[in-house]
Amino acid sequence: MENLKVVGKKIPKLDAPLKATGAAQYIQDIKLPGMLYGKILYSKYPHAKILKIDTSKAERLPGVKAVVTAKDMPPNFRIGFMKDNPPLKSGKVLSIRDEIAAVAATSQEIAEEAISLIEVEYEELPGIFDPLEAMKEGAPILHEEAKSNVLKLPWRLVCGDVEKAKQESAFIAEDTFSTQWVTHCCLGTSGCIALFDMQNNLTMYSNTQIPSLAQNDFVEALNAFGLKNRRVRIIQAVIGGGFGSKLDTYAYEYIAILLALKTKKPVKIVFTREEEFFATSPRQCTITKISQGCDKEGRLTFREVEMILDNGAYTSWGATTPSVMMLPISSLYKVPNVKYTAKCVYTNNTYCQAMRGYGNPQATFAIESNLDQLAEKAGIDPLELRKINANEPGEITPQRFKITSCGMKECIEEVAKRLNWKEKRGKDKGRGVGMASLIHVGGGARVYKSDGCGTIIKMDDFGKVDVFTGASDIGQGSDTVIAQIVAEVLGIPIEDVNVINNDTEVCPWDVGVHASRTTFVAGNAALGAANRIRQQILDAASKILEEEPSNLDIKDSIIFSTKNPEKSIPLGKALRRIHYTTGGKMLMAEYFYDPANENFDREFKGNLSVSYAYGAHGVEVEVDKETGKVKILNYIAAHDVGKAINPLLLEGQIYGGGLQGIGYALGEKMVYRNGRLMNGNFLDYKIPTVKDVPPIQPVIVETEEKEGPFGAKGIGEPGLVPTAPAIANAIYDAIGVRIKDLPITPEKVLAAIKAKEGEKKI
Amino acid sequence: MRREITFTLNNEEVTVEVEPKWTLLYLLREVLGLTGTKEGCGYGECGACTVIIDGKAVNSCIYPVLEAEGKNIITIEGLAKDGELDPLQKAFIEKGAVQCGFCTPGMIMSAKALLDENPNPSEDDIKEAIEGNLCRCTGYVMIIDAIKSVASGR
Amino acid sequence: MRSFEYYKPNSLEEAIKIMAGLENAKFIAGGTDIMVQLRQKKISPQHLVSLRNISELHKIETEDGLNIGSLVTHDDIDKNEYIKKYYSALTDATSRLGSKQIRNVATIGGNICNAAPSADTACPLLVFDAKAVIIGTKGERTVDLSEFFLGPGKTVLEKDEILKEFSMPRLKENTGSAYIKHTRREAMDLPILGVATRITISLNKDSQIRCRDLLCTVDSISNILMQLKDEGLKCEEARIAMGVVAPTPMRAKKAEEALAGKIISIELFEEVGEIAANEAQPRDSIRGEAWYRKEMIKILVKRALMKSIDRIIRPDEEIYPERLW
């Protein structure tokens, strides 16, 4: 690519100064005049009948302005994609995080006291906490309307003929793997402020990752409240972490809306850390049965996967993770025959939603661990097996994904080289190496009917640019990437680009910050708008400079003729001339980029994304055989990113994602007992600290994806997709035991070592 | 019963009436309007609320407000001098150590306390200084780089 | 949270007097435990009497053994070179307790009086035969630390009593100590279990030189001990304390007896580890499983003893971090 001035450079994040000085306004920091504080009362039991709710004492407490229960909500109003979740519960509670009542009061403290004054009478019911129990005959049906604890969801993917392929396989490996609930642990907890104006139009200050879709959800809510045809405006505060946790609208947001409606005042609800742990929705846990086969030469013949997902008490995006799990199941490596079924089962546990990777880490753990098992059976080095079956550019996978750019082989080779695979593999002396690869969407994902993002660009009188984008920044740096693209196209310094991305009143539509799509889709939208306005500028300047637009260029904010550089005019001057005159013109451009990808058809096939991201992670571990503790000596994270528009931010995603993956593999677990969260705090739920960071080497492989802005693909999620199986595979190389159930704790490792020694003695 | 305390806050003397049960964090955020210091957990387990008291990094969310009497307290708002950012702030910005930024004020204060006491820390010293500051976004690597760059620069 | 009054006495007499006149009151030191318990609504006192401003509680005296005032912070102990050199197990504990922010404020007295089974400073203090010096309305008394804890969160302190200081006797020559905190992550963690040891060995000069060379290698404990056995190093006296494997931090007295007077060898350490494991009563909790804790006692006793001996033989050299002790 030609000399790029801004794209490809390590540009610091645009809002970093605000954050580093403490000036950034997170939802916790925002105060509005007359604002009330909302607080929610949660269920005492995971499964019970609500016999009576007495809010009288709470209502009488001075400072309390409203107390609401289910009777204040529209009777059949339900949220969640299966519409099975009433924001305030009545009749029955199905989990410990069920919202029973809420108050709005003049201070946080009064609100908390009011909650303690609400008296609820329950009749406890026996709870079901195991999806296998919930599936049994005679198990109590948790949602009577549903008639079964197994959700009616169509998760079934069949490609080719798995049964036939089994017969024709030389080697088959089969096993069961399971993954745990882990949670996002955003440092900034969830929260919102709801307020109505005199005409009952709603403004929500929010942390959402999906402003346009949330707007839609709240319009539906207002309709249900009898407020038809009202506006909903979403203003995003600075977001203190997302990772998927803000990809759905939560009950507390509707409760805030209800309280704001009742009190006619702004109502703020902000979660405490305890609420953030037990009342937000974690990563979907899985039980996976998998078998894979290959022929004598190691070419994969089939992959069969059956999953059971604990859906919890209500339904959020966790129940849709199978649609993403199909990605690696059908298309990670070349596998001609694939069968996948998944069942989501209601229980009295917590319910799950999106979390970085959206099912891909869970599925890849099973696939890549089992692949190593297959390699062992076939007597082939796991590295070789992966190379033999690696995806290639131009391939069409069984799910009909069209692979355009593909750096899988390069990533695998980088990992092998930097880990010193041949030297270190197979020593079985407590040290070992392992690897795993990944495929993820990298060019948007048509999960909804639209995968689009809009951009509007407006020039001011001084050569500076305002870019209105639908894409939110959740800390990953989309604001900066968009500014870089616009600055590059317009030939202006990045300091002159202002990105506005947090107000639905001015920002165009975007489907949301998910599926690692923002650099690709929002980037392309910004690129499209920038190209359009550049043309407008050059067309208008051509009249001023009396030069053909095709001979004009802009550099350092000066428009000049390439034929005769003396013919020039500063951008700001040109802009003023263009409109500050009779018959003046306003310069503004818009572009809505909706990638040329496809929705799945009824068989879940179709080119979900315009391009796919690849990567491979390799790990060297040392296992303390006496204590079972696993130490990572070296970690290589190789990623095919198309093009690194901003290597600084990109590495940040790889380091951050990698460490989240390490936490997922080695230590994080939400411990539930009979439906209650036992470790909802930062001491007992252990996310990695700075001292837990191993030596990590990010490796950026650039395959120049044609459809991506300047060749870029997505990176937001891939960073933690292959971590757990890479570590599990390395542990197997080190001590010959395989842990199939995450997280890999010292207890599990030690128990497995002892079991193995026991076998040897016999 | 409210009591009056006087202490130095960001190099200025402050006198304010407080409730004994308040934490220092509550006083800073809710009463004095200094919202740069964040509450991440309220239990001293994440470090987002870190301020510097008499030269030492402290979790303000579990610091009884009455103990602030007579102390020299610095918050994130007190770092920039005459509109010029502290070298640590500049380094965090330039080295990519800021993503969502929620942990950033506390992280910078822990680093500042370290560098004020030990201008030439080893990597182990740096890790020890920020072991009590959780970050979920960055994976810490660029944070360590940022602090190192200031340490070697001095 | 209920309102409370907060007092800041400047002397012990003042503190005791204030407390004597109050109902539903608690002493508070650094506050890192109490502020958390207040927020969790586990306690709701009407009065808090702060000990922070009582200067005599902040002293560290090293002329005759070691006396540490109860309000000394873990950071102060960390920075004390004398404690690090001679009472190393204590520095092992304070350097890994909580986080830097916590260590700057939390006190050793608070850590002990909170009486969690996982209190990191308890095991080191126990192996140094610490005595708790207590003062109250009835005057001063001294309690052996091994008798100080009554149960999780419970101590022998009466309502009006203040833990003034810990006093530890002078250590004999050729004594080394260590505390190993077995955790899941490398910072800000409570121990799954913790083991402290102190050992005094008989050692002649030639032996010391050969042992030093041995310990400079990066070999395994069993191999090193096998070679050490030939030196005939004798254990004169030993102390072993364990945390989170019983309702209170405890001494493994039978294991200590099994060590006394014996020649150091891998077989001895393994036997002693077994005995210590059998003296403990570990439980299952969300922080760890009983069977694992029991297994780890054996491993940690071995490693802590090894580290203690290493410190005797190579007192001025770093313990290698990549080693298993």
Side-chain angles (χ1 to χ4, degrees):
Chain A
M1 217 161 254
E2 347 77 59
N3 276 330
L4 293 172
K5 292 199 83 180
V6 184
V7 166
K9 302 281 183 282
K10 292 187 174 188
I11 310 261
K13 197 162 175 329
L14 294 186
D15 61 1
L18 266 181
K19 292 171 175 174
T21 51
Q25 294 279 294
Y26 299 82
I27 194 76
Q28 284 81 355
D29 306 321
I30 299 179
K31 267 199 177 117
L32 300 176
M35 190 174 83
L36 299 174
Y37 296 82
K39 202 99 181 98
I40 297 173
L41 175 68
Y42 299 94
S43 170
K44 195 166 166 204
Y45 300 104
H47 194 202
K49 286 196 191 136
I50 302 176
L51 298 176
K52 193 167 132 197
I53 307 179
D54 183 353
T55 57
S56 52
K57 287 201 189 110
E59 287 169 38
R60 287 200 294 270
L61 186 67
V64 171
K65 300 298 176 194
V67 183
V68 295
T69 61
K71 62 170 167 39
D72 299 292
M73 281 275 181
N76 292 314
F77 180 60
R78 303 275 183 275
I79 63 173
F81 102 97
M82 294 285 280
K83 300 274 181 266
D84 58 3
N85 193 355
L88 284 166
K89 275 64 181 173
S90 68
K92 234 173 46 147
V93 287
L94 292 174
S95 79
I96 206 75
R97 60 184 274 205
D98 278 29
E99 300 83 356
I100 306 236
V103 310
T106 49
S107 79
Q108 190 72 33
E109 210 188 330
I110 296 175
E112 282 170 24
E113 204 191 325
I115 290 292
S116 69
L117 293 174
I118 299 177
E119 289 166 351
V120 186
E121 234 177 270
Y122 299 91
E123 182 190 312
E124 213 184 332
L125 298 169
I128 312 180
F129 307 110
D130 182 344
L132 299 171
E133 288 299 311
M135 285 166 72
K136 286 194 178 143
E137 278 268 338
I141 303 297
L142 295 176
H143 282 260
E144 281 100 21
E145 331 79 62
K147 299 201 173 70
S148 163
N149 285 333
V150 179
L151 275 77
K152 286 192 185 26
L153 291 169
W155 307 130
R156 185 188 154 82
L157 175 71
V158 176
C159 312
D161 188 341
V162 162
E163 289 312 311
K164 182 157 172 276
K166 275 187 193 170
Q167 309 301 324
E168 292 167 3
S169 300
F171 304 101
I172 296 183
E174 181 181 315
D175 217 327
T176 304
F177 297 87
S178 66
T179 66
Q180 76 288 36
W181 285 296
V182 293
T183 180
H184 313 73
C185 292
C186 304
L187 263 291
T189 58
S190 308
C192 70
I193 305 176
L195 68 147
F196 284 91
D197 69 11
M198 302 266 284
Q199 286 81 33
N200 278 337
N201 296 308
L202 171 66
T203 299
M204 282 289 272
Y205 287 82
S206 162
N207 269 351
T208 182
Q209 293 177 231
I210 47 163
S212 306
L213 296 183
Q215 207 180 13
N216 202 42
D217 281 351
F218 297 141
V219 165
E220 272 182 36
L222 290 188
N223 281 337
F225 280 124
L227 297 171
K228 300 208 190 285
N229 268 331
R230 298 300 196 280
R231 291 170 146 261
V232 170
R233 176 183 183 187
I234 309 243
I235 300 177
Q236 284 154 301
V238 174
I239 299 177
F243 317 117
S245 62
K246 278 100 181 164
L247 215 55
D248 199 357
T249 46
Y250 276 89
Y252 80 85
E253 295 175 275
Y254 299 90
I255 292 172
I257 293 175
L258 177 62
L259 288 170
L261 196 55
K262 279 214 139 191
T263 59
K264 309 243 180 295
K265 294 229 185 291
V267 173
K268 179 187 212 180
I269 295 184
V270 168
F271 275 8
T272 61
R273 181 54 59 184
E274 290 104 319
E275 280 174 298
E276 189 72 12
F277 269 106
F278 80 83
T280 62
S281 307
R283 184 190 283 289
Q284 182 63 57
C285 51
T286 57
I287 302 172
T288 305
K289 210 166 106 181
I290 181 171
S291 62
Q292 296 182 87
C294 64
D295 63 16
K296 273 198 307 263
E297 280 81 43
R299 283 182 299 246
L300 291 172
T301 47
F302 78 94
R303 182 179 288 150
E304 185 174 15
V305 180
E306 271 172 57
M307 275 190 192
I308 295 177
L309 274 49
D310 183 335
N311 194 62
Y314 305 94
T315 312
S316 179
W317 296 131
T320 61
T321 52
S323 65
V324 172
M325 301 212 239
M326 288 178 189
L327 219 131
I329 289 172
S330 76
S331 305
L332 182 65
Y333 307 116
K334 295 188 175 125
V335 203
N337 302 289
V338 172
K339 183 160 172 219
Y340 172 51
T341 53
K343 284 200 175 92
C344 301
V345 188
Y346 280 126
T347 62
N348 292 118
N349 286 322
T350 188
Y351 50 100
C352 305
Q353 77 132 327
M355 183 166 172
R356 203 172 190 172
Y358 208 102
N360 199 347
Q362 295 92 309
T364 303
F365 176 60
I367 295 170
E368 284 290 58
S369 298
N370 182 244
L371 197 76
D372 262 33
Q373 291 175 313
L374 182 64
E376 191 176 39
K377 281 219 165 144
I380 302 177
D381 181 309
L383 169 69
E384 290 312 309
L385 190 64
R386 288 180 167 87
K387 283 209 249 182
I388 290 167
N389 294 288
N391 299 103
E392 286 174 317
E395 196 185 310
I396 298 188
T397 77
Q399 229 183 327
R400 295 216 300 266
F401 298 156
K402 298 191 180 112
I403 311 296
T404 53
S405 58
C406 172
M408 192 188 217
K409 278 218 179 95
E410 291 93 316
C411 290
I412 291 176
E413 269 152 21
E414 280 291 334
V415 162
K417 183 178 81 189
R418 286 159 192 263
L419 265 190
N420 219 343
W421 183 269
K422 294 221 158 37
E423 293 291 306
K424 304 225 164 160
R425 179 86 193 161
K427 300 291 185 273
D428 198 22
K429 277 206 192 315
R431 281 199 183 183
V433 291
M435 73 181 322
S437 333
L438 77 102
I439 178 178
H440 201 69
V441 288
R446 192 165 295 272
V447 171
Y448 295 94
K449 287 211 172 107
S450 168
D451 189 18
C453 176
T455 306
I456 300 168
I457 297 188
K458 172 170 92 72
M459 307 292 303
D460 75 356
D461 275 355
F462 308 96
K464 296 194 198 293
V465 172
D466 289 312
V467 182
F468 299 84
T469 174
S472 315
D473 189 302
I474 54 172
Q476 83 283 44
S478 59
D479 58 347
T480 313
V481 165
I482 286 170
Q484 283 176 268
I485 291 173
V486 171
E488 187 72 58
V489 170
L490 294 184
I492 60 179
I494 194 168
E495 292 77 31
D496 287 353
V497 181
N498 179 28
V499 176
I500 298 112
N501 58 6
N502 59 351
D503 188 342
T504 55
E505 191 140 287
V506 292
C507 294
W509 199 91
D510 175 50
V511 78
V513 175
H514 64 161
S516 306
R517 62 187 282 281
T518 307
T519 294
F520 190 91
V521 180
N524 268 335
L527 187 61
N531 279 329
R532 277 189 182 167
I533 205 162
R534 182 191 153 90
Q535 199 54 54
Q536 288 181 25
I537 294 170
L538 296 184
D539 284 344
S542 78
K543 298 193 177 62
I544 299 171
L545 293 179
E546 289 168 347
E547 177 65 78
E548 281 298 307
S550 52
N551 293 334
L552 291 177
D553 197 359
I554 317 173
K555 248 195 200 127
D556 297 324
S557 301
I558 297 185
I559 309 172
F560 64 97
S561 160
T562 48
K563 291 238 153 84
N564 180 7
E566 302 263 301
K567 257 200 206 174
S568 69
I569 180 170
L571 179 59
K573 202 166 178 188
L575 290 168
R576 291 192 290 279
R577 284 231 204 137
I578 288 166
H579 82 90
Y580 201 65
T581 177
T582 340
K585 269 197 161 76
M586 180 180 79
L587 290 194
M588 198 138 140
E590 53 77 25
Y591 195 90
F592 186 75
Y593 175 73
D594 195 8
N597 47 19
E598 298 168 352
N599 282 123
F600 282 149
D601 62 20
R602 312 197 82 203
E603 298 190 334
F604 294 105
K605 295 182 185 160
N607 193 23
L608 181 65
S609 185
V610 172
S611 72
Y612 296 86
Y614 285 92
H617 284 194
V619 196
E620 186 186 353
V621 300
E622 182 176 69
V623 180
D624 181 338
K625 290 196 218 186
E626 287 184 321
T627 63
K629 273 184 92 166
V630 175
K631 188 168 167 193
I632 298 179
L633 300 175
N634 202 3
Y635 195 101
I636 317 287
H639 285 274
D640 161 24
V641 302
K643 163 110 191 133
I645 295 190
N646 187 324
L648 188 69
L649 300 181
L650 195 135
E651 279 183 15
Q653 290 303 297
I654 298 179
Y655 286 126
L659 197 63
Q660 280 188 2
I662 288 171
Y664 184 52
L666 292 179
E668 293 180 36
K669 180 180 171 142
M670 296 176 84
V671 177
Y672 280 91
R673 265 195 209 137
N674 295 328
R676 279 171 210 281
L677 182 60
M678 307 301 293
N679 63 340
N681 60 71
F682 276 136
L683 192 59
D684 289 318
Y685 183 92
K686 301 174 201 283
I687 69 172
T689 67
V690 67
K691 282 192 167 171
D692 300 296
V693 179
I696 301 187
Q697 267 183 67
V699 181
I700 297 178
V701 171
E702 288 183 321
T703 52
E704 311 269 334
E705 169 55 50
K706 275 204 300 261
E707 292 301 315
F710 293 95
K713 297 196 271 197
I715 185 60
E717 290 164 289
L720 54 45
V721 169
T723 337
I727 293 174
N729 289 341
I731 293 173
Y732 187 77
D733 188 42
I735 53 172
V737 307
R738 179 166 292 284
I739 309 297
K740 305 176 213 164
D741 141 66
L742 294 180
I744 301 171
T745 60
E747 287 92 335
K748 287 181 191 168
V749 172
L750 189 66
I753 291 173
K754 285 189 181 297
K756 187 159 175 251
E757 280 166 10
E759 281 165 23
K760 273 200 209 145
K761 286 188 187 138
I762 298 170
Chain B
M1 201 183 69
R2 294 224 168 177
R3 306 244 297 263
E4 197 180 80
I5 58 171
T6 300
F7 58 100
T8 308
L9 177 60
N10 296 332
N11 288 316
E12 273 176 26
E13 197 175 88
V14 165
T15 298
V16 62
E17 262 194 11
V18 302
E19 290 272 352
K21 69 177 178 185
W22 290 352
T23 60
L24 177 59
L25 182 65
Y26 184 90
L27 174 65
L28 292 171
R29 287 183 59 82
E30 306 297 326
V31 178
L32 299 176
L34 294 171
T35 57
T37 311
K38 306 296 178 200
E39 175 167 318
C41 69
Y43 287 107
E45 290 167 359
C46 74
C49 66
T50 305
V51 299
I52 300 180
I53 302 182
D54 286 353
K56 290 192 191 257
V58 172
N59 288 326
S60 61
C61 72
I62 49 172
Y63 194 84
V65 74
L66 285 170
E67 295 293 348
E69 170 75 47
K71 301 279 197 303
N72 183 4
I73 299 181
I74 308 183
T75 70
I76 188 76
E77 290 92 344
L79 279 196
K81 291 219 158 41
D82 302 318
E84 178 88 11
L85 293 182
D86 184 280
L88 266 173
Q89 289 170 305
K90 287 188 194 157
F92 266 63
I93 294 166
E94 274 151 37
K95 297 282 179 183
V98 180
Q99 286 186 31
C100 88
F102 202 86
C103 78
T104 303
M107 192 74 73
I108 291 180
M109 297 318 283
S110 286
K112 176 108 180 106
L114 168 72
L115 293 179
D116 282 350
E117 189 182 298
N118 176 4
N120 221 348
S122 65
E123 183 162 321
D124 278 342
D125 291 330
I126 293 175
K127 287 185 182 173
E128 189 186 286
I130 61 172
E131 69 182 354
N133 291 80
L134 293 179
C135 173
R136 195 56 156 164
C137 296
T138 66
Y140 303 100
V141 177
M142 284 146 143
I143 293 176
I144 297 175
D145 284 347
I147 301 171
K148 259 193 203 162
S149 77
V150 179
S152 56
R154 279 195 191 190
Chain C
M1 195 190 299
R2 190 207 282 194
S3 281
F4 52 79
E5 286 302 326
Y6 193 92
Y7 307 83
K8 294 166 70 173
N10 286 313
S11 71
L12 279 170
E13 298 82 57
E14 203 188 329
I16 295 170
K17 190 160 166 225
I18 293 175
M19 181 58 84
L22 295 174
E23 288 291 315
N24 197 359
K26 275 182 103 61
F27 286 117
I28 179 173
T32 55
D33 285 318
I34 291 199
M35 296 298 281
V36 165
Q37 290 161 5
L38 277 170
R39 193 184 162 112
Q40 288 170 327
K41 300 210 169 65
K42 284 190 178 157
I43 55 173
S44 50
Q46 279 171 291
H47 309 273
L48 288 179
V49 181
S50 168
L51 300 172
R52 265 194 211 202
N53 303 289
I54 302 174
S55 51
E56 71 178 283
L57 296 179
H58 290 265
K59 300 199 192 129
I60 300 179
E61 282 157 355
T62 57
E63 298 88 47
D64 187 17
L66 175 62
N67 275 24
I68 304 183
S70 57
L71 265 284
V72 172
T73 65
H74 296 98
D75 186 55
D76 288 338
I77 294 174
D78 248 1
K79 293 191 162 110
N80 189 300
E81 290 300 323
Y82 179 89
I83 297 178
K84 188 167 178 191
K85 183 160 180 182
Y86 295 107
Y87 294 82
S88 324
L90 192 53
T91 314
D92 287 343
T94 56
S95 63
R96 288 199 68 199
L97 187 146
S99 65
K100 190 83 173 142
Q101 291 94 318
I102 299 284
R103 294 195 288 276
N104 281 337
V105 162
T107 65
I108 188 168
N111 191 232
I112 296 298
C113 292
N114 192 45
S118 54
D120 281 310
T121 55
C123 290
L125 288 172
L126 282 172
V127 302
F128 295 128
D129 293 331
K131 291 199 187 327
V133 179
I134 300 169
I135 187 162
T137 43
K138 297 195 200 106
E140 207 172 277
R141 64 184 177 119
T142 302
V143 172
D144 221 72
L145 196 66
S146 53
E147 270 140 45
F148 185 82
F149 303 107
L150 297 176
K154 294 201 188 75
T155 69
V156 297
L157 286 176
E158 299 288 335
K159 180 211 148 204
D160 63 308
E161 287 185 310
I162 297 171
L163 171 56
K164 198 169 132 189
E165 65 185 7
F166 297 104
S167 95
M168 284 154 272
R170 199 178 276 187
L171 297 168
K172 301 194 180 112
E173 234 186 284
N174 292 328
T175 298
S177 65
Y179 171 67
I180 298 186
K181 176 177 180 172
H182 194 55
T183 56
R184 292 185 197 283
R185 66 180 178 185
E186 299 306 305
M188 274 221 288
D189 213 350
L190 290 178
I192 304 174
L193 77 159
V195 169
T197 58
R198 163 172 69 88
I199 187 167
T200 308
I201 57 176
S202 58
L203 185 63
N204 68 51
K205 208 156 172 214
D206 303 317
S207 208
Q208 171 144 32
I209 296 171
R210 285 190 296 274
C211 293
R212 174 171 274 157
D213 289 339
L214 251 183
L215 285 165
C216 286
T217 66
V218 203
D219 212 343
S220 70
I221 291 185
S222 26
N223 283 346
I224 292 184
L225 281 172
M226 252 185 345
Q227 297 172 72
L228 273 183
K229 193 171 177 181
D230 300 330
E231 297 296 332
L233 297 178
K234 191 163 84 154
C235 164
E236 301 292 344
E237 189 181 61
R239 294 281 184 271
I240 300 176
M242 312 184 287
V244 209
V245 292
T248 66
M250 60 174 284
R251 289 254 304 272
K253 293 199 168 145
K254 294 200 186 108
E256 292 168 4
E257 277 159 28
L259 260 179
K262 304 272 185 17
I263 304 290
I264 305 290
S265 72
I266 183 69
E267 293 85 11
L268 177 65
F269 278 8
E270 280 172 1
E271 183 197 329
V272 165
E274 250 333 299
I275 298 173
N278 287 324
E279 286 186 75
Q281 318 138 37
R283 268 186 351 155
D284 283 326
S285 75
I286 57 156
R287 295 187 179 144
E289 293 166 55
W291 75 266
Y292 183 74
R293 288 173 158 141
K294 204 157 183 185
E295 285 300 308
M296 288 307 102
I297 293 175
K298 301 178 205 169
I299 308 298
L300 296 190
V301 163
K302 193 172 59 172
R303 293 183 184 184
L305 285 170
M306 197 66 232
K307 197 167 179 174
S308 308
I309 291 176
D310 196 349
R311 284 177 165 151
I312 300 170
I313 293 176
R314 305 181 310 134
D316 298 316
E317 282 152 61
E318 283 300 309
I319 306 285
Y320 296 112
E322 38 331 325
R323 278 229 198 111
L324 290 179
W325 67 86

